[in-house]
Amino acid sequence: MKHIVILTGAGISAESGLGTFRDTDGLWTKYDLNEVATPEGFARNPEMVQAFYNARRENCLGAKPNAAHVALARLQADFPGRLTIVTQNVDNLHERGGSTGVIHMHGEMLSALCSACGHQWPWEGTMGMEDSCASCAATGTVRPDVVWFGEMPYHMDRIYAELAACDVFVAIGTSGQVYPAAGFVSEARGAGAETVEINLEASDNSGIFTRQILGPASETVPAWVDELLAAAE
Ligand code: OAD
């Protein structure tokens, strides 16, 4: 049974209107990631960090999955092998596009985390320092359940086990600049997998991939899924 691991990044959600990080109009050109995406930044100015994620959460709730998210859900439903979707994205567009079991290695914007007791629970509205934990009732400890720079991404043991056992690794819409995700292609290659990059343009990691498909994800991903499902018939 063929096993495919797919890693997605901000580029898959770009055509849904959610900004990427490092493109010319990306989030990290407008905000200092040290201020809004590190534990130190949160400790310095929690209200500003909460406001940043409140705005992103609202954008996420207003966005719709695009043809690339929907195509991956179709692949998940119809592929006669094993398919693992790992995303760096903190939006929920894979799930709203119909995918299940998506591994959110950088956490989820629509989840809260209590920094006192570690409890995680769904969160859709505005979040602030006056909110209290749904489990331990502590106040001032509720934060977005997203992985910040300097923190350990989630589910890494499981992801490395999937990479070691996959036949095909596909990276979609990611610049390949943030580790550990940027190293997944080398792990998969080391395990003997075919490696495919699907991106708007060649990324920093392009040379490591065995195949490259360039163009907007809403077009390239459905076409790649059609090709894969036709070959599997
Ligand atoms: P980046 O913003 O670094 O890269 C997005 C990639 O998507 C770029 O290579 C673009 O060329 C590509 N892209 C843009 N529009 C596209 C489209 N319509 N179709 C296909 N590709 C497109 O985003 P990530 O690689 O996801 O982490 O960033 C990785 C991590 O860095 C994020 O998870 C986040 C960020 O800091 C944390 O916050 C911890």
Side-chain angles (χ1 to χ4, degrees):
M1 194 172 73
K2 210 167 184 179
H3 180 187
I4 303 178
V5 175
I6 296 175
L7 170 71
T8 65
I12 197 167
S13 297
E15 290 164 83
S16 293
L18 300 183
T20 62
F21 296 96
R22 294 176 184 78
D23 290 308
T24 40
D25 58 347
L27 274 181
W28 296 158
T29 66
K30 299 177 195 136
Y31 296 89
D32 181 349
L33 72 83
N34 292 304
E35 298 306 325
V36 297
T38 61
E40 295 78 15
F42 185 56
R44 274 194 295 274
N45 195 344
E47 286 78 15
M48 194 256 287
V49 176
Q50 294 281 17
F52 173 74
Y53 286 97
N54 284 335
R56 288 189 66 198
R57 196 178 298 113
E58 204 177 312
N59 286 346
C60 169
L61 289 169
K64 291 191 177 63
N66 65 55
H69 299 103
V70 173
L72 291 188
R74 179 161 60 88
L75 181 63
Q76 202 172 29
D78 296 345
F79 183 61
R82 180 172 164 78
L83 185 78
T84 306
I85 301 176
V86 181
T87 189
Q88 298 167 89
N89 297 345
V90 294
D91 66 51
N92 65 349
L93 296 182
H94 280 302
E95 286 80 2
R96 281 161 57 206
S99 287
T100 55
V102 176
I103 301 174
H104 282 269
M105 64 178 286
H106 288 167
E108 296 179 66
M109 209 144 49
L110 296 169
S111 173
L113 168 68
C114 173
S115 54
C117 74
H119 183 58
Q120 295 164 296
W121 71 105
W123 194 287
E124 285 211 349
T126 300
M127 185 183 286
M129 298 317 288
E130 68 288 357
D131 288 313
S132 46
C133 172
S135 177
C136 73
T139 301
T141 60
V142 180
R143 55 165 277 185
D145 189 9
V146 299
V147 175
W148 286 324
F149 287 92
E151 298 181 323
M152 182 64 84
Y154 293 148
H155 314 297
M156 292 311 296
D157 288 349
R158 176 157 168 228
I159 294 168
Y160 282 120
E162 302 283 2
L163 291 168
C166 75
D167 305 295
V168 182
F169 170 78
V170 188
I172 302 174
T174 177
S175 62
Q177 291 194 30
V178 176
Y179 284 83
F184 290 174
V185 58
S186 301
E187 287 285 325
R189 263 197 95 154
E194 176 193 346
T195 53
V196 184
E197 173 172 69
I198 303 181
N199 211 48
L200 192 58
E201 56 200 12
S203 75
D204 284 7
N205 263 345
S206 283
I208 312 174
F209 288 88
T210 48
R211 181 179 174 199
Q212 222 175 27
I213 301 170
L214 299 184
S218 66
E219 294 170 20
T220 52
V221 175
W224 172 74
V225 167
D226 287 345
E227 176 193 313
L228 203 70
L229 289 176
E233 268 173 14

